Amino acid sequence: MSGSYDDSVGVEVSSDSFWEVGNYKRTVKRIDDGHRLCNDLMNCIHERARIEKVYAQQLTEWAKRWKQLVEKGPQYGTVERAWCAFMSEAEKVSELHLEVKGSLMNEDFEKIKNWQKEAFHKQMMGGFKETKEAEDGFRKAQKPWAKKLKEVEAAKKAYHAACKEEKLAISRETNSKADPALNPEQLKKLQDKVEKSKQDVLRTKEKYEKSLKELDNATPQYMENMEQVFEQCQQFEEKRLRFFREVLLEVQKHLDLSNVASYKNIYRELEQNIKTADAVEDLRWFRANQGPGMSMNWPQFEEWSADLNRTLSRREKKKASDGVTLTGINQTGDQGSQPNKHSSSLSVQSNTVQSVQSSYNPFEDEEDTGSTVSEKEDNKIKNVSSYEKNQSYPTDWSDEESNNPFSSTDANGDTNPFDEDTPPAMEVRVRALYDYEGQEQDELSFKAGDELTKMENEDEQGWCKGRLDNGQIGLYPANYVEPIQ
């Protein structure tokens, strides 16, 4: 980055030394670089703060999603609490990383910003006041020495030109002596030219040596003045370097969660929660609540009663409830309200099914509703458990090898459950709007988009009889499908 001094145009810079004319500009440029480095450090901290914020949000979303899955899943007892402890850990760590983000932006970022504003002062015409002061200081210190250097260069140039002229004059005189055609008068002129050139050499040499001596005498003062301005620049840069070191140490303290007592307590508590998981206790609980330890109304002799012994069919029971139980909904949208932890079905009145369907569109674009990436991933793993905690199981059983619910008769001679008094309607092809998983043996299971054949129209309880393409026949909710146009 060597250059020439403004008042010394034509002076060639022979090296890259600081003492060369114009090479102080590298030191001046360092001031501008210091201002830019403050911006770079602020941008660096700002990006890290943004990463901390995103990570905290992802931890919170992950904890919320998996906490719901574990609570609604089949895991129980102390192991469930140990598993959920990981979600509690994520929520607490998320809060700590949000605190890190706040410290980086509210303390470190603002500290650099304020220091930069106090250390660098912009001018009306552009640039910084500190840069101009350093530039003017170096110019003032270098100007006298640069002027003498210019004189030295001019004297050297004149001396070298005189030496060259002397050499040419001597060469002409030597050649003329060997030329017989040259008259004495011309030879005399050549000899005078040689003598004059020798005198010019001596004169220019003396002037060159004198100017060089004057330059040497001015050099100590020049070095002292340059050193003085340079030290001022060094002191300004030292403040920046020390400030950067101080800020970086503060950033390190904010990022180092290993020294935060609450951070250590999080994992100490997590370890304790995991160690409290007791397989024996969980098995004892399951035995008492889901196994042989449960109470049982063992069959006893009962007198016949027309009211007490009245047997209701599945259809009649559904009529008594005056509603429809939707049990296999797999919607892809964000579920704002989750059902109870110990319930796997959502019950709605039959006259409100259509309003629920119209108010929620399962195919609505997730981006329009503000869904995040993690919420989309939630839909992919929402069914990680094969069943929920208190999923009901059919109590029907048979000692026959085949328990096909669609056989014409069973052991008691009952007719096919799909045999009805109403005449069958014309078969219509329909397409499933939602996923549905049959909860009883005489119900169909299908995915959204599957096609099937409707064999009977909707009954009073909102159920239709249909046939899948694989030949399976069963019931399904009428509002789960739409006719294929």
Side-chain angles (χ1 to χ4, degrees):
M1 298 178 62
S2 61
S4 59
Y5 191 76
D6 295 346
D7 295 336
S8 307
V9 179
V11 178
E12 182 180 357
V13 178
S14 58
S15 71
D16 200 35
S17 171
F18 166 77
W19 302 106
E20 293 290 340
V21 175
N23 281 358
Y24 64 82
K25 293 184 181 295
R26 292 175 300 187
T27 304
V28 175
K29 183 179 179 298
R30 189 175 61 175
I31 300 176
D32 295 332
D33 290 342
H35 183 274
R36 180 178 61 82
L37 288 171
C38 288
N39 290 332
D40 291 344
L41 184 55
M42 285 191 290
N43 290 334
C44 178
I45 292 176
H46 182 266
E47 289 184 12
R48 178 58 185 266
R50 187 166 61 247
I51 292 173
E52 295 289 335
K53 180 181 178 181
V54 172
Y55 179 55
Q57 292 175 341
Q58 291 176 343
L59 281 178
T60 301
E61 294 170 359
W62 174 86
K64 180 180 179 182
R65 183 171 70 252
W66 275 99
K67 188 175 183 180
Q68 293 176 349
L69 290 172
V70 173
E71 289 178 347
K72 297 169 68 66
Q75 186 57 60
Y76 57 90
T78 58
V79 174
E80 178 190 358
R81 291 195 294 271
W83 192 345
C84 288
F86 281 98
M87 276 62 88
S88 299
E89 170 267 341
E91 292 172 347
K92 294 175 183 178
V93 172
S94 173
E95 294 177 359
L96 289 180
H97 281 281
L98 285 178
E99 292 179 4
V100 171
K101 176 258 180 185
S103 298
L104 291 176
M105 292 303 299
N106 299 331
E107 297 180 25
D108 303 329
F109 184 91
E110 289 297 324
K111 186 174 184 178
I112 299 172
K113 183 179 179 181
N114 293 333
W115 186 89
Q116 182 191 46
K117 187 176 180 180
E118 295 175 359
F120 299 90
H121 301 83
K122 290 186 177 181
Q123 299 184 116
M124 294 293 294
M125 301 302 293
F128 300 104
K129 175 183 177 182
E130 291 72 22
T131 303
K132 186 177 186 304
E133 289 177 352
E135 180 84 20
D136 293 344
F138 279 119
R139 283 176 181 271
K140 185 177 179 180
Q142 199 171 66
K143 187 174 182 179
W145 189 84
K147 183 177 181 181
K148 293 185 179 297
L149 177 63
K150 185 177 182 180
E151 294 175 355
V152 168
E153 293 294 331
K156 180 178 71 172
K157 184 177 181 181
Y159 169 68
H160 289 173
C163 291
K164 182 179 180 181
E165 187 64 27
E166 180 190 22
K167 184 177 180 180
L168 289 174
I170 294 174
S171 178
R172 292 193 192 99
E173 181 189 13
T174 302
N175 293 333
S176 63
K177 291 180 180 179
D179 186 4
L182 193 66
N183 56 42
E185 184 178 353
Q186 292 175 333
L187 182 60
K188 175 65 174 166
K189 288 183 179 181
L190 291 175
Q191 291 175 349
D192 292 342
K193 186 69 173 177
V194 170
E195 185 65 24
K196 184 176 180 301
S197 63
K198 289 182 178 181
Q199 294 177 0
D200 290 342
V201 168
L202 293 176
R203 179 178 55 80
T204 55
K205 182 179 180 180
E206 181 180 356
K207 185 176 180 180
Y208 178 33
E209 290 176 344
K210 180 181 178 181
S211 62
L212 190 60
K213 185 176 181 180
E214 291 177 353
L215 181 66
D216 291 340
N217 294 334
T219 297
Q221 185 64 40
Y222 162 66
M223 295 180 66
E224 180 180 351
N225 295 339
M226 292 288 286
E227 283 273 8
Q228 184 177 358
V229 181
F230 183 79
E231 283 302 320
Q232 294 175 356
C233 295
Q234 287 287 84
Q235 292 175 6
F236 184 82
E237 178 68 5
E238 182 182 10
K239 293 179 181 179
R240 186 190 68 82
L241 293 175
R242 291 185 180 276
F243 172 74
F244 268 41
R245 181 179 183 274
E246 177 185 349
V247 170
L248 292 175
L249 283 175
E250 293 181 3
V251 172
Q252 179 268 331
K253 292 178 181 178
H254 292 149
L255 295 177
D256 186 8
L257 295 179
S258 64
N259 291 327
V260 179
S262 58
Y263 188 76
K264 296 179 180 179
N265 292 335
I266 290 174
Y267 293 98
R268 189 178 298 111
E269 181 180 350
L270 176 60
E271 181 182 7
Q272 292 173 354
N273 287 329
I274 296 174
K275 287 182 177 180
T276 56
D278 188 344
V280 175
E281 172 63 21
D282 289 353
L283 294 175
R284 186 200 61 77
W285 178 91
F286 192 85
R287 178 182 181 88
N289 293 272
Q290 303 289 341
M294 298 177 66
S295 60
M296 173 64 179
N297 293 326
W298 298 105
Q300 297 179 2
F301 179 80
E302 299 178 9
E303 289 292 343
W304 178 86
S305 172
D307 294 331
L308 294 177
N309 290 348
R310 183 167 178 248
T311 303
L312 299 178
S313 65
R314 182 184 62 80
R315 288 291 183 90
E316 291 172 333
K317 290 179 181 179
K318 290 184 178 179
K319 289 181 181 180
S321 65
D322 193 23
V324 179
T325 301
L326 308 182
T327 57
I329 303 176
N330 290 326
Q331 297 177 344
T332 58
D334 182 21
Q335 299 181 1
S337 60
Q338 295 291 345
N340 187 280
K341 174 180 176 180
H342 300 294
S343 174
S344 62
S345 63
L346 173 64
S347 297
V348 296
Q349 295 297 320
S350 60
N351 58 357
T352 62
V353 172
Q354 189 64 31
S355 63
V356 172
Q357 179 182 355
S358 61
S359 63
Y360 177 77
N361 183 1
F363 306 106
E364 184 177 0
D365 188 1
E366 291 177 346
E367 293 181 358
D368 296 338
T369 59
S371 299
T372 61
V373 176
S374 60
E375 291 172 339
K376 297 178 181 178
E377 294 174 353
D378 183 15
N379 299 323
K380 300 179 181 178
I381 63 173
K382 189 173 291 182
N383 293 323
V384 293
S385 298
S386 58
Y387 61 92
E388 294 183 355
K389 276 189 170 58
N390 288 341
Q391 177 175 338
S392 59
Y393 296 90
T395 58
D396 298 339
W397 65 279
S398 174
D399 56 359
E400 296 181 358
E401 293 182 0
S402 174
N403 59 350
N404 186 349
F406 312 123
S407 59
S408 59
T409 59
D410 58 13
N412 297 325
D414 293 337
T415 59
N416 190 312
F418 301 124
D419 292 339
E420 303 242 349
D421 296 333
T422 57
M426 293 184 60
E427 295 185 350
V428 179
R429 293 290 288 175
V430 295
R431 180 182 294 106
L433 294 173
Y434 318 107
D435 293 354
Y436 180 76
E437 183 177 352
Q439 302 299 306
E440 296 187 21
Q441 293 181 351
D442 58 348
E443 295 179 5
L444 298 178
S445 298
F446 47 78
K447 300 291 185 182
D450 290 350
E451 296 182 2
L452 60 152
T453 302
K454 183 175 75 173
M455 301 175 62
E456 292 183 7
N457 292 329
E458 178 181 356
D459 60 14
E460 296 178 358
Q461 289 75 39
W463 291 85
C464 286
K465 179 180 178 182
R467 181 179 64 250
L468 298 177
D469 292 340
N470 61 6
Q472 182 182 355
I473 299 175
L475 299 176
Y476 64 89
N479 62 329
Y480 271 53
V481 301
E482 65 176 359
I484 299 178
Q485 302 297 331

